[in-house]
């Protein structure tokens, strides 16, 4: 439908979604006290890519505290929005 621009946007959104999944896994690893330099390097990369998108959303939609942990609604909203946008572009 969108030609080359749509194809490029589709793949950029796919990569962004994969990085967000990577961020989620690495954040869980840090929560469970994973050891190793690689965890912090991967965390730095995933946060560097996703935080510019998540930070403005987080200002409007802050994390919800559930007992001892917080549920990041901004992450969930951006993740779902990226999935929807990718399906619209394809």
């Amino acid at each position: 439908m969108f030609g080359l621009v749509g194809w490029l946007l589709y793949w950029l959104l796919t990569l962004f979604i994969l990085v967000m999944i990577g961020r989620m896994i690495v954040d869980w690893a840090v929560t469970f006290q994973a050891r190793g330099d690689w965890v912090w390097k991967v965390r730095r990369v995933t946060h560097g890519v996703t935080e510019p998108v998540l930070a403005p959303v987080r200002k409007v939609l802050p994390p919800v505290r559930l007992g001892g942990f917080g549920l990041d609604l901004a992450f969930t909203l951006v993740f779902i929005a990226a999935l929807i946008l990718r399906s619209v572009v394809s």
Side-chain angles (χ1 to χ4, degrees):
M1 178 176 164
F2 293 103
L4 179 61
V5 174
W7 178 84
L8 184 60
L9 189 55
Y10 176 85
W11 285 106
L12 286 173
L13 285 166
T14 300
L15 288 174
F16 183 75
I17 290 166
L18 290 173
V19 171
M20 287 193 66
I21 292 169
R23 176 185 172 133
M24 180 178 57
I25 292 168
V26 169
D27 283 348
W28 285 345
V30 169
T31 301
F32 293 122
Q33 300 174 349
R35 303 277 189 248
D37 245 2
W38 68 272
V39 174
W40 298 107
K41 289 177 184 176
V42 172
R43 188 170 194 254
R44 191 172 343 132
V45 170
T46 58
H47 280 247
V49 171
T50 58
E51 197 58 31
V53 178
L54 291 173
V57 178
R58 201 174 283 123
K59 286 181 183 177
V60 177
L61 192 63
V64 175
R65 299 302 301 171
L66 298 171
F69 72 96
L71 179 61
D72 191 0
L73 297 177
F75 181 92
T76 305
L77 182 68
V78 169
F79 188 81
I80 291 170
L83 289 172
I84 292 170
L85 186 57
R86 187 180 73 158
S87 69
V88 168
V89 171
S90 66

